[in-house]
Amino acid sequence: MTSPRGVRIGLIALQVVGSVSAAAGAVGLLGGGIEFPTEWLTGSPFTSYTIPGLILGVVVGGSQLAGLIAVLRRHERAPQLSALAGAIMMGWIIAEVLIVGSIPGIMRNLQVLYFLLGLAEVGLVALWIRAREYAR
């Protein structure tokens, strides 16, 4: 049986990576440090990467940070916030693939990595809930 402590440590690690990388990605998109072709946005509701950068920072990064803080503080809603953060991360990647595509190489590798990060968060929450129920 997986220990709740091990699950917490795993979630903390994943959410640190998720929140820091989402913040860095948002700063890169908003500040011009990351430049993607605007042609990738053709057919999307966006004409620039400003709104996607804000969504990445506020929604994706914010949910990762909220989950992280909840886990660190042992908040009763930590599992739900962590699962939501993982689902948002996966949703972000799915939306990205649908909007701009998935080019082989670093782009696709990062998309797979971050989708798996979100999936791992949701999976760890499932283990956490199961371990809590088993302990009762």
Side-chain angles (χ1 to χ4, degrees):
M1 177 60 46
T2 303
S3 75
R5 181 174 188 264
V7 170
R8 284 186 69 250
I9 291 168
L11 279 172
I12 289 167
L14 291 172
Q15 290 171 334
V16 164
V17 170
S19 59
V20 169
S21 59
V27 168
L29 287 173
L30 296 170
I34 301 173
E35 294 186 28
F36 295 121
T38 53
E39 299 83 48
W40 287 359
L41 297 175
T42 302
S44 80
F46 310 111
T47 57
S48 76
Y49 289 97
T50 301
I51 299 300
L54 288 170
I55 294 169
L56 177 60
V58 174
V59 178
V60 179
S63 67
Q64 291 290 317
L65 185 59
L68 173 62
I69 291 168
V71 171
L72 289 171
R73 291 187 175 177
R74 301 179 193 281
H75 191 277
E76 66 182 31
R77 295 281 184 207
Q80 292 88 345
L81 288 170
S82 295
L84 179 60
I88 288 171
M89 178 71 75
M90 290 186 292
W92 167 261
I93 295 302
I94 290 167
E96 179 180 300
V97 169
L98 292 173
I99 292 171
V100 300
S102 184
I103 298 168
I106 189 75
M107 179 187 209
R108 183 169 297 156
N109 293 344
L110 288 173
Q111 288 168 334
V112 169
L113 175 71
Y114 285 108
F115 185 86
L116 291 174
L117 184 146
L119 185 62
E121 286 176 347
V122 172
L124 283 174
V125 168
L127 289 174
W128 190 359
I129 291 169
R130 186 170 183 203
R132 286 166 118 184
E133 289 173 0
Y134 182 76
R136 289 182 187 167

